[in-house]
Amino acid sequence: MDTRRPLRILATALGTAGLLISGCSSGSSTSAPSVPAALAPHYAQQLNWRDCGVGGFQCTTMKAPLDYAKPDGGDIELAVSRAKATGPGKRIGSLLVNPGGPGGSAVGYLQSYAAIGYPAQVRARYDMVAIDPRGVARSEPVECLTGPQMDAYTQVDQTPDDATEVNRLSEAYKEFASGCERRSGEILPHVSTVETARDMDMLRALLGDEKLHYVGASYGTYLGATYAEIFPARVGRLVLDGAMDPSLPAVDANRDQTAGFETAFKSFAADCVKKADCPLGTTSTADAATRLKQLFAGLDARPIPTGASRELTESLATTGVIAAMYDESAWPQLRDALTGAEKGDGSGLLSLADSYYEREPNGTYANLMFANTAVNCLDLPPAFADANAAAQALTGFEKASPVFGRTFTWAALNCAHWPVRPTGTPHRIEAKGADPILVVGTTRDPATPYKWAESLAGQLSSGTLLTYRGDGHTAYGRGSDCIDSAINTYLLDGTPPTKGKMCS
């Protein structure tokens, strides 16, 4: 979900995500790998920086092999932006940032938040840098559906009640995949997290940095961990905030995430029922869950108007609620939206859903959801091979979340129809020989459950876990002086916090 400070994108994008974990181990040599001769021309290219048209930023493009197995078989052009270190203090190097997704524009995140909103002492000593991953935003974006087609896709019933509705959902996934293949077939096999990590190393070298310094949020933590796995000796100061667990198969990770959103909803509901105007009742979180499920069921039977050309369907309403789970600052907006929906006005929940999908008022969509699916379906085998497998998993998902379980089950079906075979597998990442890596977890994080941070920190040979006791997705820059101070100290002098440090 994009709240603009920082970008917070749903790890499992409803209807467009299988899950956001990559596989494909590349070994864990502790010596800095030399550049293969076939890649030498790419590592020797010159970056021609120019004005971006955005004050304080420079932009350039970098060429990388479309297929690293065939470096001379054609290139892909990747967008890069930076804001130079402001001083005072000795410049440390470049700090790459990635907001997650997969599919979030790192360049957009840099220019709208990171290079402006990160602590001044960090911006003083680092050039703030971002590269849009291959297939994302400015870097030869994956395209799949037109705006009207995407409108129809986001309204498809994701809690099918009978065989006809199951078939309709499966057909929607097939049509989405076919659209991606028609419009972006050449790039689809080459948008994996491993390839993007290799692109980051090329950029590191072109920026003149011996080691990579990096802050990654959500999916960006998997990208950072993958970099550490491939290039452990080139790891500098890595912050992995809202961490993922790369060892989980897609079905397990999807189920964990389902439980994460249930936890987040309970936090919202507990806050809501204390208020006299709570649209979900004022008695208990259980009552609130029942009322929300009743609202969803009513919308399933009869969508409501929004004042726009689209009605509020159950699927859009569910997306709107989930979007607000990312940050407790969105809870008042969600209460207002739910109050409106109870009165027959779906505009509030539609607005939340549109922000989640990055839909513009003119009906166009950013390529977030297209890239999200393309990366997810390449990085990991699908959670379900077919609709029957999804149906059999319903009980477990509904146990994890009585409110969202059905939706998350069927959302995990989309990669079953993907036209490109996955290249990754779930596996542990140890990155032996890497400098200390800081893993950050939030105890009631909906999209990346806290136990994932615990797991990743335990897998990484040099991992240190920093815990934020609180709500919302990711922790850095969310108002905890304790968290921000620990991360800033690590970025500025390389010293991670003591193991087991907890903040609130």
Side-chain angles (χ1 to χ4, degrees):
M1 163 91 181
D2 182 357
T3 63
R4 308 295 175 189
R5 63 155 297 281
L7 188 67
R8 309 193 195 286
I9 297 172
L10 187 63
T12 300
L14 290 178
T16 60
L19 206 106
L20 29 79
I21 303 178
S22 173
C24 198
S25 173
S26 301
S28 56
S29 170
T30 59
S31 60
S34 59
V35 175
L39 293 178
H42 290 89
Y43 272 80
Q45 67 186 287
Q46 297 294 313
L47 297 181
N48 298 312
W49 294 98
R50 64 188 184 280
D51 181 74
C52 289
V54 180
F57 292 93
Q58 295 177 310
C59 290
T60 189
T61 55
M62 181 187 87
K63 292 186 182 297
L66 177 64
D67 183 353
Y68 273 93
K70 301 175 182 177
D72 58 353
D75 291 336
I76 185 170
E77 198 165 86
L78 306 175
V80 182
S81 184
R82 74 178 177 187
K84 298 297 288 292
T86 60
K90 183 180 178 181
R91 178 182 174 277
I92 296 172
S94 304
L95 182 65
L96 267 68
V97 296
N98 183 282
S105 171
V107 171
Y109 172 69
L110 177 79
Q111 295 179 355
S112 65
Y113 174 70
I116 302 166
Y118 270 35
Q121 61 266 44
V122 172
R123 293 183 283 117
R125 299 186 60 196
Y126 283 100
D127 292 345
M128 301 292 294
V129 180
I131 178 172
D132 274 351
R134 49 180 60 209
V136 173
R138 299 163 177 84
S139 292
E140 302 196 20
V142 172
E143 299 293 346
C144 300
L145 301 178
T146 65
Q149 289 173 330
M150 192 65 181
D151 280 347
Y153 179 74
T154 61
Q155 295 179 70
V156 173
D157 188 349
Q158 295 203 12
T159 57
D161 300 314
D162 54 38
T164 299
E165 291 186 349
V166 169
N167 289 337
R168 188 176 300 134
L169 180 60
S170 294
E171 285 302 313
Y173 288 146
K174 291 176 184 177
E175 290 170 8
F176 184 96
S178 295
C180 299
E181 186 174 29
R182 283 194 305 273
R183 292 176 171 87
S184 303
E186 182 180 10
I187 194 176
L188 288 188
H190 303 295
V191 294
S192 71
T193 298
V194 167
E195 288 162 306
T196 294
R198 292 187 180 281
D199 296 338
M200 290 203 310
D201 189 65
M202 188 179 297
L203 178 59
R204 171 205 58 77
L206 298 178
L207 292 170
D209 291 334
E210 181 181 350
K211 294 193 173 187
L212 180 80
H213 307 302
Y214 173 83
V215 177
S218 194
Y219 160 80
T221 68
Y222 185 72
L223 178 57
T226 298
Y227 181 90
E229 179 180 39
I230 302 171
F231 305 107
R234 295 178 183 169
V235 167
R237 299 165 192 178
L238 262 62
V239 178
L240 308 180
D241 183 15
M244 293 175 48
D245 182 353
S247 70
L248 293 176
V251 65
D252 294 340
N254 273 278
R255 193 185 302 108
D256 282 353
Q257 197 172 56
T258 304
F261 277 93
E262 182 72 14
T263 297
F265 174 73
K266 287 179 178 178
S267 290
F268 163 74
D271 177 74
C272 185
V273 297
K274 296 175 184 176
K275 296 173 170 57
D277 63 345
C278 178
L280 300 178
T282 56
T283 56
S284 67
T285 57
D287 180 50
T290 298
R291 292 279 293 272
L292 183 61
K293 290 172 66 177
Q294 288 171 345
L295 174 64
F296 288 160
L299 293 170
D300 188 27
R302 180 175 296 179
I304 60 175
T306 64
S309 59
R310 293 168 297 148
E311 294 182 312
L312 183 73
T313 62
E314 180 192 18
S315 58
L316 285 170
T318 304
T319 301
V321 172
I322 286 173
M325 294 298 100
Y326 279 82
D327 194 322
E328 61 270 32
S329 67
W331 291 357
Q333 182 183 358
L334 178 57
R335 288 198 306 272
D336 289 344
L338 289 170
T339 298
E342 291 279 4
K343 296 177 179 178
D345 176 8
S347 60
L349 285 174
L350 181 64
S351 178
L352 282 166
D354 283 353
S355 68
Y356 169 77
Y357 285 124
E358 293 197 354
R359 183 189 190 273
E360 298 296 332
N362 65 3
T364 61
Y365 287 76
N367 95 306
L368 167 65
M369 293 299 159
F370 309 144
N372 183 279
T373 305
V375 176
N376 288 337
C377 295
L378 191 60
D379 272 355
L380 203 67
F384 305 122
D386 52 36
N388 288 334
Q392 292 172 7
L394 275 169
T395 299
F397 275 70
E398 289 187 294
K399 182 178 180 181
S401 174
V403 176
F404 304 117
R406 289 183 64 82
T407 296
F408 274 75
T409 305
W410 291 107
L413 179 61
N414 73 316
C415 285
H417 306 293
W418 198 242
V420 181
R421 292 179 63 85
T423 56
T425 57
H427 65 287
R428 291 172 56 85
I429 291 182
E430 298 180 3
K432 293 179 179 178
D435 284 352
I437 298 173
L438 182 56
V439 179
V440 187
T442 298
T443 55
R444 295 187 294 278
D445 189 317
T448 51
Y450 177 66
K451 67 179 183 179
W452 290 2
E454 292 180 302
S455 179
L456 180 59
Q459 292 171 42
L460 292 167
S461 63
S462 60
T464 294
L465 177 63
L466 173 64
T467 298
Y468 173 56
R469 293 193 188 97
D471 296 294
H473 184 37
T474 73
Y476 192 34
R478 290 177 52 81
S480 169
D481 290 340
C482 174
I483 288 288
D484 291 354
S485 177
I487 293 175
N488 294 342
T489 297
Y490 170 72
L491 288 174
L492 295 173
D493 67 22
T495 304
T498 57
K499 288 186 179 295
K501 183 175 179 62
M502 293 202 173
C503 297
S504 57

